[in-house]
Amino acid sequence: MEKSKENLIQDVVRRSGVNPRKCMKCGKCSGTCPAYDEMEYHPHQFVYMIETGDIEPLLKSKSIYKCLTCFACVDRCPRGVEPAKLIESIRLSVIREQGNNHLTPQMIPELIDEEMPQQALVTAFRKYTK
Amino acid sequence: MRKCLLQNQNKLFDQISSFASLYIPVETTGGNASFKKYEQGMVMSDVLKTDRSPKDLFFPQTENLMEFKTSGKNIEVIDNRKESEDFVVFGVRGCDVKSFEVLDRVFLVEPVDTYYATRREHGIIVSMACGRPAETCFCQTFGIDASAPEGDIVCYKTEDALYLDAKTEKGKNLLSKLADVTEESDGKEALKQKEQIKTVLAKLPLANLKADSFGKDKTKEFFDAPEWQILSKSCLGCGTCTFVCPTCQCYDIKDFKTKDGVQRFRCWDSCMYSEFTKMSAGQPRLTQLERFRQRFMHKLVYYPTNNDGLFSCVGCGRCISKCPISMNIVKVMKALGGIDNE
Amino acid sequence: MQKINREVLINKANELLSNGTINRVFGWEKGDFSYDVTPTIYFTADQMNKKFIFDDFCGANFSKYLVAETKKDQNKVGVFLKPCDTYSFNQLLTEHRFDKEKVYAIGVPCDGMVDEKKIKAFFGEGISSITSEGDEIIVDTLYDGVKKVKKADVLQERCQNCKSKKHVYYDELIGEDGEVLDSNRFDEVEKLEKMTADERFAFWQNELSKCIRCNACRDVCPACTCEKCVFNNPNSGVENKSPANEFEEKMFHIIRAFHVAGRCTDCGECSRVCPQGIPLHLLNRKFIKDINSFYGNYQAGEQEGSRAPLTNYTKEDLEPSEAVNKGDN
Amino acid sequence: MQRIGVFVCWCGSNIAGTVDVKAVAEALKNEPGVVHSANYQYMCSQAGQELIKDAIKEHKLTGIVVCSCSPRMHEGTFRKTAEAAGLNPYMVEIANIREQCSWIHKDIAEGTEKAIVLGRTAIAKVNLNAPLMAGESPVTKRALVIGGGIAGIQTALDIADAGFEVDIVETKPTIGGKMAQLDKTFPTLDCAACILTPKMVDVAQHEKIKIYSYSEVVDVRGFVGNFEVTIKKRARFVKEDICTGCGLCTEKCPQKKVPNEFNLGMDNRRAIYIPFAQAVPKVATIDPNYCTMLKTGKCGVCAKVCTANAIDYTQKDEFIDQKYGAIVAATGFNPISMEKFDEFAYSQSKDVITSLEFERLMNAAGPTAGKLVRPSDGKHPQKIVFVQCVGSRCAACAEKGKEYCSKICCMYTAKHAMLTRDKYPDTDVTVFYIDVRTPGKNFDEFYRRAAEEYGVHYIKGMVGKISPEGDKLMVRASDLLANKQINMEADLVVLAAAIEPDKSARPLATMLTASMDTNDFFTEAHPKLRPVESPTAGVFLSGCCQGPKDIPETVSQAGAAAAKVIGLLAKDKLKGNPCVAHSDEMMCNGCSSCEKVCPYGAITYEDKEFRGPNRTTLIRRIAKVNEAICQGCGCCTVACPSGAMDLKGFASKQIMAEVDAICK
Amino acid sequence: MQVNEFKPKIVAFCCNWCSYAGADLAGSNRLAYPAEVKVIRVPCSCRVNPMFILRAFQRGADGVIICGCHPGDCHYTSGNYYTRRRMALLFSMLDYLGIEKGRTRVEWVSAAEGAKFAQTMNDFVQTVTALGENKRLEDLRCKK
């Protein structure tokens, strides 16, 4: 169990290309995040929790779907940590599990409204579905 | 005259090498050959000219002369010359055979160079007529007949056999030891080949090159010739011509510090080098023009002056094919002799 | 397009000589055979008309001659430079070996020089004449009549692996300039690198044992322009005149290659002139290949004034231990 | 042939315990050149040294080998011993048979054998030693200080007080530097001008100090003790010696719209100006970029009003050559540009300012006469946000920020927050920080006072974005401790911009051949033990050009640099290290390889006439080593392809002889 | 008769400021390393000419090691950076010629690293001992 958790973290880190140890805990990522209030765990926490090995709460948290991948945190991080890539990587390790697609075609009709751009749907599928 | 079928050639070599060291020309890389000590199975090359001449076997590029051993503050002198054994050099071309006459006149006159003398005494030369002379050959210019070389034994190679003809006591002696791998022959085939070679020789591009205007006592005529200026212009001052030349005989004596002493050895030197004959006042020939002139004047004038008109060039043509910038004695002779390559 | 032949070059030289731009010009001179072309210097167009040649055997590079020649007087010297010669020329300028103001460089095109040794390897000794026709070389032999061979097959090694047809320096260019080429010049080096150490040792032992220390490689090398070579200098501690043993054979070539490392333009003259046929370019190319892979691509002579890799560094350079282990992966 | 004496030391039992010293002395007797061999308990003792001296005289020794401890320990001792006995000190070689033999080997046979080899090696070297004489060069007793900020001022004053001439070169029209722009100084809160301006006056009045203001160094030649410097004195179109600094011209000049750089462009000055009231030298300067007279030839108001006739529109740049013995770099710093930090809206809103701008806003002599107002509308800000570490500790993008900590921002931000709350208690002040770093005397107390007594809100977390909304600024940040995102309105935002070395430092370093790090800070000769010296002899470092520093640190470093300069200038002659490179001009190709690897710029080239063959003359380019600059590393000797370059004391032949002796 | 155990000859070039001091420190701390190692003091590792290395092999050395300050710590600011380039190229060339790569080494040893110096020398002697006598770059004359 411990072993597999470690492997999972390694996978997440490797896939993202992020080195969480570069973080100096300034919080600029969270200070800049437009989806902050939607999130249970915030960008800096993602980095910190991965660094300390506390990945399970993140896997279970809805926060991984709240990140808009706007990359504001990536752009502004003074240490080049790139939290969004880390969040993306964690999300991928969740939705790549069997039956873990976060968005199914059946869910689409109820989501559609006048305002919703096509592009958003396509992007959402790419992000939330295996 | 003895005959040895080509299929028995290696038997012949094995036989010789059973009682003496044997050196034969062996092909190294495409079209190149050099004399190597025979070992069973080696193939004799037909390449006309070895890269280096057989001079090496009598006057090697480096040769130990003596050693000094030091212990504490004492010095002991050790003469490391060994009693030399007989050796045979097989396949020496006519020009190269002639080169030994040139070297002998330097090394075997007083004071005799005992290192060279010992080797000459023990060395047996089996010469080889030139089946296919090349365009760079000009031995005829110096009166050498490639169809009838000198040597202890003269050899003709035809399509199926070697024909061996002993010319000296040493040669006869050697040939007598090879009776079981050779058979008696009338030598007609050899004679036929000799004639063939003669016709080819007459057709060579340098066949008409004459050395008549050079020779004994011509120093004043050529020393200040204006041609030297332009001829020497491109000379790089390397020693290629010297080191492939069968007649160049200059050497330097040097000391090498060994572990507990000094090894005194000699090594070839070249008059083309800026460091040649460096004396307390430096090298007397200050520019390449002077060094260049020295080499050719020596071959064509100085040596003949001191040696009854004998030129110290044998027309082997090695310098023609080896000079990095393709300057050579033929070009020098033509330029000084007023022959323009239109 | 105008055909660049001997006449065009003579006319150009004549023009420069007569308008006073130069008072002498380095050029090639034909020899007794088809292939024994000699570098020389011409003072008049008349001399050139008689002896000048521009053909497949004009491999000699005049750059090195300029070091001594430009010091002689205040006049300008003309020189014909093939693309690869211009690299040597530039490298010598970089090292302040002569003043470019005293030279007028005429860039001439080159489609590769023929190696007569290769022709002889094909047809043996006894070559009466060699002419070229398109991409074929016609050889008249003494013994086997007229023979033909593809020019590409008898090009000099350095021309088969030509690195550049581009002139990196000239005052005037005759014909059109070419491009820097992608060559396979490191293939042979790579082949050696892939061998085991024992095989490599045997290979070099065999090659270097042929050395007669005639110094042709050094004396023709445009990078070897030292006032006094360490091998001629009794005070250097390595002076010697002949390879007394295997060690000295190796030492000469290692030191020589090291001394030109980062300065060698890979002109290939060393291998061309070696009377013993030692592939000396494989030593120099090893350094060039290493320099490229360790410190980034660098072509000596490409740019006048460039800083040679051995007189330069970065703080992130690889360690010597990494350098020797690089080939192991 | 040398006459060598060998002296084998027992070092009590340190050596004699594992090395048979008598056997060593006996064995070495037979080495070439050795005429005397002895052993003694303590060679370094008075008696041991006497023994050596006596032997030198008695045996007419020309060289000695001491087999003893490391040369790093007693080489100097034995050199002095030899010198006292009339032998050249560089004819001494040490065979290290203690640290590198007796102490690491236990077996006596093994230790003895190795000691003999080491002795033999040293003998082989001494056989090739030649007496060396340290070159001497005179010292020009004048120092140059480049930069007239507090660092330069302090250095200059200290040097001048010791009695040496000092010149200060300052690019601005006045000395004073950044400190002159500051309002108060932490942690004492005394007024910057009050403590700086008296020093500026001291400088102006000091008979040993000459100020070249509005000037720059354009060329440096020479070497330690003997620098030759060209100073370009830019034309200020006012005769410095005549101008009284009355300021009348600066009031009458019709060109009023020139951004005032002293106030960071927050107000305007005239085309003729005196940067500030206490400027030194207090003379006017015409800004040629704005002066109508200089641009169009029509105006001349200043000339008309000047009662002293000091205006000279025809003035030209002047080049002054001066010799110096030592040079101090004190080029200082600048805040980095905020243009690239879009997220903080610096270029979008006038109410986002840098800390240095804030200093000017708070300064009684500043654009607002010390009234803290918003630059946009002149209103008093109710809520002020300070953002720390803007561009500092920024490893992500070298284009944008700096990887290092700028060191001073924590403290000045605390100062600003405190001063604001002190002057305007109704203002709400928030500081966003990553860490608060206060390692200085009374620093942490100061910071705590800001938080505790003055009620400054310190929030751990970085500001992510600032967006102007109406006349307010929306500040979005994270509060890491509360784990929440903050969206707060502010009236004024102050960015603690990172500091970087002045742009003039890089070209200056090139001229001085002084090394720099990747951030363009000057490198010190040793980071711990020689922090105020550049590796280039005779060049010293003062203030922020070496790294971020606060004022007290700058002043102490300035004093330290001055002490080093005084130490140098106090000498009449400099004795060089005789183990320097030397080029054999007969062999030199002039190829410049050596010059390229020389870390000190000690190698130059000259064209020299040589006798060629046959009575010709050849001109060749050859290398010359300046022995006063060369430090003797020997890098050039390997770069030299012809072997023309060699190193005295460590000559190729000597090293090869050592190799031979070891491998025997 | 007893078979003589092979003891390699090792030449160590040490820069005066770091590695030579490191060697001294190893001595002061009595950290043993084989007596086969003999140190030559040079001002800086950049003083070491490839010719010296070949000379050592010629004269009978079985291994040559160059020690200098760590990159960035050179007393002369940049000397060891040049050493690093020169030796990287030289060693690569020696390897290319088939000379055993274990016979040459560059190691950065600071004045504080006495233990590293001893460790390095122990390790190097071990490597060279395993390689045996230097045959590929030997000059038999120097053994007489």
Side-chain angles (χ1 to χ4, degrees), chain D residues 286-352:
Chain D
I286 297 180
D287 186 337
N289 295 323
Y290 292 93
C291 172
T292 331
M293 182 65 183
L294 288 173
K295 285 167 79 178
T296 65
K298 289 179 197 125
C299 180
V301 170
C302 49
K304 275 176 219 139
V305 299
C306 181
T307 50
N309 279 329
I311 309 293
D312 175 6
Y313 298 117
T314 63
Q315 214 174 56
K316 294 267 173 322
D317 290 351
E318 204 182 323
F319 290 88
I320 298 153
D321 283 322
Q322 186 61 268
K323 288 186 170 185
Y324 299 99
I327 298 178
V328 182
T331 44
F333 73 96
N334 278 307
I336 64 168
S337 158
M338 288 287 103
E339 302 296 326
K340 293 202 169 100
F341 290 86
D342 254 359
E343 67 265 38
F344 299 132
Y346 180 78
S347 14
Q348 296 153 40
S349 167
K350 280 186 156 187
D351 298 330
V352 180

Side-chain angles (χ1 to χ4, degrees), chain B residues 35 50-57 96 99 243-246 318:
Chain B
F35 279 98
T50 50
D51 286 337
R52 293 159 73 171
S53 86
K55 170 181 86 178
D56 300 27
L57 299 166
D96 290 343
S99 74
F243 289 2
V244 298
C245 179
R318 283 188 179 86

Side-chain angles (χ1 to χ4, degrees), chain E residues 24-43:
Chain E
D24 280 353
L25 184 63
S28 307
N29 294 343
R30 310 298 197 273
L31 301 168
Y33 54 90
E36 289 83 89
V37 177
K38 314 276 189 327
V39 172
I40 293 180
R41 186 164 67 122
V42 284

Side-chain angles (χ1 to χ4, degrees), chain C residues 1 7 21 40 57 86 88 118 135 168 191 198 218 228 233 235 254 262 269 306:
Chain C
M1 204 186 93
E7 278 63 43
T21 310
T40 192
F57 293 97
T86 59
S88 315
K118 285 191 178 168
D135 57 355
V168 290
K191 219 155 79 190
D198 292 348
R218 178 193 75 186
K228 193 182 199 78
N233 177 7
N235 283 320
I254 297 172
E269 284 282 271
S306 68

Side-chain angles (χ1 to χ4, degrees), chain D residues 70-72 75 96 99-100 103-105 114 597 599-600 631-633 635 637-638 646 650 652 659-660 663-664, chain E residues 9 16 20-21 23-24 27-28 30-33 35 37 39-41 43 46-47 55-56 59 76-77 82 86:
Chain D
S70 171
R72 294 172 57 85
E75 187 173 56
N96 184 346
E99 280 85 347
Q100 295 184 6
W103 276 355
I104 48 170
H105 306 309
K114 180 169 174 180
V597 301
Y600 306 101
Q631 303 286 308
C633 66
C635 201
T637 63
V638 184
D646 209 344
F650 291 93
S652 296
V659 168
D660 291 2
C663 297
K664 215 164 165 182
Chain E
K9 280 183 184 162
N16 181 50
Y20 195 89
D24 280 353
S28 307
R30 310 298 197 273
L31 301 168
Y33 54 90
V37 177
V39 172
I40 293 180
R41 186 164 67 122
C46 67
R47 176 66 188 90
R55 175 81 165 210
R59 290 280 149 183
Y76 305 100
T77 68
Y82 292 107
R86 289 166 184 163

Side-chain angles (χ1 to χ4, degrees), chain C residues 198 237 245 290 309 317 319, chain E residues 55 85 92 101 108 136 139:
Chain C
D198 292 348
N245 58 20
D290 277 353
D317 283 343
E319 293 292 326
Chain E
R55 175 81 165 210
R85 281 206 167 184
S92 176
K101 46 184 137 187
W108 312 122
R136 296 193 167 174
D139 188 332

Side-chain angles (χ1 to χ4, degrees), chain C residues 6-22 24-26 42-45 48 52 78 80 106 172 174:
Chain C
R6 153 176 204 274
E7 278 63 43
V8 175
L9 302 194
I10 293 177
N11 288 342
K12 176 46 70 186
N14 190 19
E15 176 196 324
L16 294 167
L17 284 166
S18 47
N19 73 15
T21 310
I22 56 174
R24 58 201 190 278
V25 59
F26 274 106
Y42 295 102
F43 290 85
T44 64
M48 287 187 82
F52 182 78
F80 292 110
I106 308 154
E172 180 172 347
I174 295 188

Side-chain angles (χ1 to χ4, degrees), chain D residues 354-402:
Chain D
T354 67
S355 298
L356 194 56
E357 287 164 347
F358 188 82
E359 292 280 355
R360 295 312 301 153
L361 279 184
M362 294 288 277
N363 194 299
T368 58
K371 239 175 80 186
L372 179 59
V373 293
R374 287 166 30 118
S376 61
D377 53 14
K379 283 189 196 148
H380 173 65
Q382 294 300 322
K383 271 181 85 89
I384 304 181
V385 164
F386 288 88
V387 186
Q388 290 197 177
C389 293
V390 178
S392 295
R393 308 168 72 188
C394 178
C397 176
E399 292 281 290
K400 225 169 141 177
K402 304 289 175 188

